[in-house]
Amino acid sequence: MDPELHQLVEDGLVLPPSWNKDTDVHEVRAVLAQIARAQEEAGDLSTEEDDRQIRTRDGASITVRVHRPPGLAPDAGGRPGMLMLHGGGYSIGDLNAGARLGRIFAELGGVAVNVDFRLAPEHPFPGPVEDAYDALEWVSENLESLGIDLAKGFIVAGESSGANMALAVTYLWATQKNDSPLKITGIYASANSGVTSETVPEKYKSSFISMEQNADAPVMSIEALERIRELYRPDPKSPLAYPISIPNPSIMPRTYFQACGLDPTRDCTLVMEKAWRDAGVPTKLDIYPGMPHVFWALGLPPLAQTKKHEDDSRKGLSWLMSGIILV
């Protein structure tokens, strides 16, 4: 464990418990909703935001939240775009969970579209991925009203399970939408879990050890991953569930990865980054030794690694945009 975090734990800090087979996601959702309401009341937004309703392939309606730079003039010209997919094991989380990265992107001068996709177990695999893909289609049809200029780049971003979805949606778009003017130019994939012992390529198996090494890690454990799979019911062979199974990763755009050291999913990121790099995809990787899964979302006191993560997130987004974001 990171020395600063270890000291806080020694002094009495209690980290959120990892899920287990008895975790009730409906109770977790209720607690998160209370926290979100409190944050909303105390919030001081640095970006402009508005919610819109969009239709999915099955005729349902989901919400997307658009994050823009503050005071953006109508004649300011289009901006880079980003589709944001929140984490939460496919079964918890909402627009508030994806707000942090959406706001950072807007502060950097971009327009982010944060997706409130439907959740498991009510909507198991591939439902959340399909909602995210439908949201991307909606974005592609509403670029002008959103103020997005594709010439300035377009990212698909996600954290934790949202990172898996970002990789899956990009793969789907690359293989099904060759004729679309919207070209995904980068992926922000933070703390993904898109590799298993069954799907890891043979050449990387010897380095895929974190599932055993960090099986009982705080916040996210092997038992938690098993509960998530039970709720989400993914196809174990589908690249939409486990993107390491993408047949030809060379079709993927440049990808920014983040990995947490004290996390059973750590090597999902490390293996995927190697596989992408070996396939000729430009990659950038930041690792946070001794830190648990998505530690930046745990409400920890300021630590050196939380500050580094915030800085890295901005640098990673800027790297994905190849320096063309308007600050």
Side-chain angles (χ1 to χ4, degrees):
M1 183 178 286
D2 171 81
E4 275 191 297
L5 181 59
H6 182 264
Q7 186 59 56
L8 287 176
V9 171
E10 288 287 300
D11 293 342
L13 175 73
V14 178
L15 292 170
S18 179
W19 289 11
N20 58 45
K21 62 183 178 61
D22 298 318
T23 297
D24 185 330
V25 293
H26 303 287
E27 292 180 1
V28 177
R29 290 175 191 172
V31 171
L32 291 177
Q34 290 180 337
I35 295 171
R37 282 195 293 272
Q39 289 175 336
E40 235 176 74
E41 291 170 5
D44 180 20
L45 296 183
S46 58
T47 61
E48 293 180 1
E49 301 175 3
D50 68 276
D51 291 355
R52 304 191 190 186
Q53 298 297 309
I54 70 171
R55 287 284 174 193
T56 59
R57 65 189 66 193
D58 61 354
S61 177
I62 62 173
T63 305
V64 297
R65 179 167 295 163
V66 183
H67 301 265
R68 292 190 184 84
L72 189 62
D75 59 350
R79 298 295 175 120
M82 181 174 83
L83 190 80
M84 174 63 201
L85 305 170
H86 67 75
Y90 310 101
S91 55
I92 63 170
D94 53 22
L95 294 171
N96 295 295
R100 182 195 70 88
L101 197 62
R103 288 168 183 160
I104 289 175
F105 190 70
E107 288 168 2
L108 289 170
V111 174
V113 179
N114 188 2
V115 185
D116 194 16
F117 51 86
R118 291 171 290 178
L119 302 171
E122 297 90 341
H123 301 277
F125 176 84
V129 174
E130 291 176 343
D131 279 0
Y133 185 89
D134 292 349
L136 184 56
E137 280 200 314
W138 176 84
V139 169
S140 73
E141 296 163 359
N142 292 272
L143 296 167
E144 186 174 351
S145 67
L146 290 168
I148 293 173
D149 181 356
L150 295 178
K152 295 178 180 176
F154 193 92
I155 294 170
V156 179
E159 297 178 319
S160 190
S161 56
N164 292 2
M165 291 172 60
L167 292 156
V169 167
T170 301
Y171 165 67
L172 274 179
W173 196 262
T175 54
Q176 297 183 7
K177 289 286 186 178
N178 282 329
D179 58 344
S180 173
L182 192 157
K183 306 298 182 187
I184 298 170
T185 55
I187 308 170
Y188 182 110
S190 179
N192 84 80
S193 57
V195 186
T196 64
S197 57
E198 293 77 26
T199 58
V200 61
E202 187 66 35
K203 68 184 291 188
Y204 307 118
K205 277 190 176 179
S206 63
S207 57
F208 190 67
I209 60 174
S210 61
M211 292 289 181
E212 294 179 5
Q213 190 179 70
N214 296 324
D216 298 315
V219 183
M220 175 68 78
S221 65
I222 286 293
E223 195 173 6
L225 289 171
E226 290 171 352
R227 179 60 172 151
I228 290 167
R229 281 194 288 269
E230 182 181 87
L231 294 166
Y232 190 46
R233 305 204 299 273
D235 177 346
K237 297 181 180 179
S238 173
L240 303 186
Y242 300 104
I244 194 65
S245 300
I246 289 171
N248 181 11
S250 66
I251 67 171
M252 303 296 274
R254 61 169 50 201
T255 306
Y256 171 55
F257 292 101
Q258 292 179 336
C260 303
L262 189 61
D263 182 353
T265 72
R266 178 198 67 209
D267 292 345
C268 298
T269 289
L270 301 190
V271 163
M272 196 174 296
E273 190 274 336
K274 288 178 186 174
W276 261 227
R277 185 158 32 95
D278 288 348
V281 178
T283 65
K284 179 177 171 63
L285 170 65
D286 283 311
I287 306 172
Y288 305 95
M291 298 301 285
H293 190 72
V294 292
F295 63 91
W296 53 90
L298 303 181
L300 298 174
L303 302 172
Q305 295 225 57
T306 56
K307 294 173 185 175
K308 180 180 185 303
H309 176 265
E310 186 77 6
D311 187 47
D312 288 344
S313 297
R314 293 175 180 273
K315 290 178 179 176
L317 288 169
S318 295
W319 176 79
L320 287 172
M321 300 312 300
S322 301
I324 60 174
I325 284 185
L326 306 176
V327 180

